[in-house]
Amino acid sequence: MYDRIIKLIGEDNFKANVLTHQNEFLLEKWYDEINAPASVSNFLAIHDWNREKSAVIDMKGNIIGNAWFDTVTIKKDFILVYSNDKGWNILKEDGNLLNPDIWFNMISPTEITGIFTVRNNEKYNFLTPDGNLLSPDLWFDGTSQRFAYTPYSVV
């Protein structure tokens, strides 16, 4: 895994790369900006200032899905992508969108792995790991997560 992201300052701008534990550069190409997720991930978000676009690369420097977006963020090992024209979606590791037919005003991971809270037109729903809405015909005014607590063990 990578150790740290470094930025080298040149005459006109600065570029970023990843320095490994072996003090070698991980990527052949240098990028305008590289953002690593807080959790351990096999992906990095990159930004190209000339294009004003962001993408996701794997640890070999390959752009996932060969696609550029207006914003990219990696949360809980999920790649969230934003298009100014469409909204938010999830980019899968194979480079395909989780559900290319539905884009959202907001998307956020829940405490349940793989389930996302989504919002469209001030109404909320949940997106399942397979890309389907939990309740396609019923949208909610808000969402709340409640977890049951059992003070004893069931044997």
Side-chain angles (χ1 to χ4, degrees), residues 15 24 64 83 94 144 147:
K15 297 289 184 178
E24 298 172 349
I64 303 300
S83 167
D94 64 6
S144 178
F147 297 98

Side-chain angles (χ1 to χ4, degrees), residues 73-89:
T73 187
I74 302 172
K75 290 187 178 181
K76 295 186 180 182
D77 290 334
F78 288 92
I79 305 166
L80 307 180
V81 296
Y82 181 78
S83 167
N84 288 339
D85 300 332
K86 297 178 182 179
W88 287 96
N89 210 320

Side-chain angles (χ1 to χ4, degrees), residues 38-110:
S39 62
V40 175
S41 175
N42 294 324
F43 304 102
L44 299 167
I46 60 171
H47 186 73
D48 183 325
W49 291 339
N50 291 330
R51 295 171 113 169
E52 295 185 2
K53 296 287 183 180
S54 297
V56 177
I57 57 172
D58 62 21
M59 289 303 172
K60 294 180 181 175
N62 301 313
I63 296 177
I64 303 300
N66 201 23
W68 290 84
F69 300 92
D70 294 303
T71 303
V72 169
T73 187
I74 302 172
K75 290 187 178 181
K76 295 186 180 182
D77 290 334
F78 288 92
I79 305 166
L80 307 180
V81 296
Y82 181 78
S83 167
N84 288 339
D85 300 332
K86 297 178 182 179
W88 287 96
N89 210 320
I90 299 172
L91 186 67
K92 298 188 298 184
E93 291 182 21
D94 64 6
N96 293 310
L97 293 171
L98 183 62
N99 190 332
D101 298 327
I102 303 175
W103 290 76
F104 302 99
N105 299 124
M106 187 259 338
I107 188 165
S108 179
T110 66

Side-chain angles (χ1 to χ4, degrees), residues 1-6 17-28 30 34 44 59-60:
M1 191 48 62
Y2 54 90
D3 185 17
R4 58 193 176 273
I5 295 173
I6 65 163
N17 204 326
V18 178
L19 190 63
T20 67
H21 292 288
Q22 293 79 27
N23 290 324
E24 298 172 349
F25 292 117
L26 180 69
L27 307 171
E28 288 183 26
W30 288 70
I34 298 177
L44 299 167
M59 289 303 172
K60 294 180 181 175

